[in-house]
Amino acid sequence: MNPVSVAAVLLQVGILATLVEAGRRRNVAAAVNALVALVVVLLPWALGSVTTLAVGPVLPVWLGVAGLLHAVGMLGPYDTVPWWDHLTHFVSASLVAALAHAGVVVGYVGTASDASIATVTVLFTVAAGVLWELVELVARELGERFDIEPVLVHYGWADTVLDLGFDFAGAVLVIALDLRVFVPVVEQVVGPTRRLVVWSGVAIVVGAASLTLVVSGLRLNR
């Protein structure tokens, strides 16, 4: 195994250890988040096993870093380390931006300007960040509604603005570096790539609008 593959495995083990620790503490929210993170980081391996898609080692490592930061954060650092949440957002958003950038580059190469590709990448990343913030808000509202510990934590609108700022920074960094590390992966599904970019954007917008309505409904029914 090359060093990058070893790093991916170590990150997966780290997330598994976080899941075990969350179980030991009987921290349901942390356990759920660690379990989801573990499933997500294993997806590239699963896809490579059941399809001919060659994902490569970079995606598992990037997913592993983001997943481990989030899983560990749920055990306490989100509450005790002021910059932990923002670092996690930056790493996760830069991953979303890198994937989106690859999709836009492959789907629209030769038909869109560099400025247009950059704009779409940034907007897609920030929109995904807004969707995540709404998911956190819904989790908080449901926790308060049913008097249970929320699976995700929303720290207020000031924190949301900062999170989106770090999401934006992550996307800008990807554009500034013209990071195309995932282009070889996306090129393997080049046929539906353009439609995938469009429909992913539509799904994010529809999801955000739907969650906004859910939040409004929960607050009205308090």
Side-chain angles (χ1 to χ4, degrees), residues 13-222:
V13 172
I15 296 172
L16 179 60
T18 305
L19 174 60
V20 172
E21 176 61 16
R24 187 187 69 82
R25 297 187 188 184
R26 300 182 185 278
N27 188 327
V28 175
V32 169
N33 280 271
L35 181 60
V36 171
L38 186 61
V39 170
V40 170
V41 300
L42 290 175
L43 278 178
W45 174 82
L47 285 173
S49 299
V50 300
T51 70
T52 58
L53 184 66
V55 176
V58 177
L59 181 57
V61 167
W62 211 330
L63 283 170
V65 172
L68 185 60
L69 282 171
H70 178 62
V72 172
M74 290 297 295
L75 288 177
Y78 275 149
D79 297 318
T80 59
V81 182
W83 47 264
W84 194 278
D85 184 37
H86 306 313
L87 174 62
T88 304
H89 271 270
F90 179 81
V91 172
S92 301
S94 60
L95 172 58
V96 171
L99 289 168
H101 187 54
V104 176
V105 166
V106 173
Y108 293 87
V109 63
T111 62
S113 66
D114 290 343
S116 297
I117 290 174
T119 300
V120 171
T121 299
V122 172
L123 289 176
F124 187 97
T125 306
V126 174
V130 170
L131 179 63
W132 178 258
E133 295 297 323
L134 286 167
V135 170
E136 289 184 345
L137 186 56
V138 168
R140 188 189 72 176
E141 293 294 328
L142 288 173
E144 292 179 355
R145 176 74 177 274
F146 297 103
D147 193 26
I148 58 175
E149 181 183 4
V151 176
L152 294 171
V153 182
H154 185 268
Y155 293 97
W157 294 113
D159 181 76
T160 293
V161 172
L162 279 173
D163 286 344
L164 292 176
F166 280 95
D167 292 344
F168 177 79
V172 169
L173 179 63
V174 168
I175 295 300
L177 296 176
D178 193 20
L179 195 61
R180 302 190 178 197
V181 66
F182 296 127
V183 165
V185 178
V186 175
E187 284 177 336
Q188 296 174 64
V189 288
V190 66
T193 296
R194 180 175 292 193
R195 294 192 299 274
L196 181 61
V197 171
V198 172
W199 285 108
S200 294
V202 170
I204 288 174
V205 172
V206 172
S210 300
L211 289 177
T212 301
L213 292 175
V214 170
V215 171
S216 300
L218 288 171
R219 288 183 171 179
L220 286 174
N221 293 323
R222 282 182 179 176

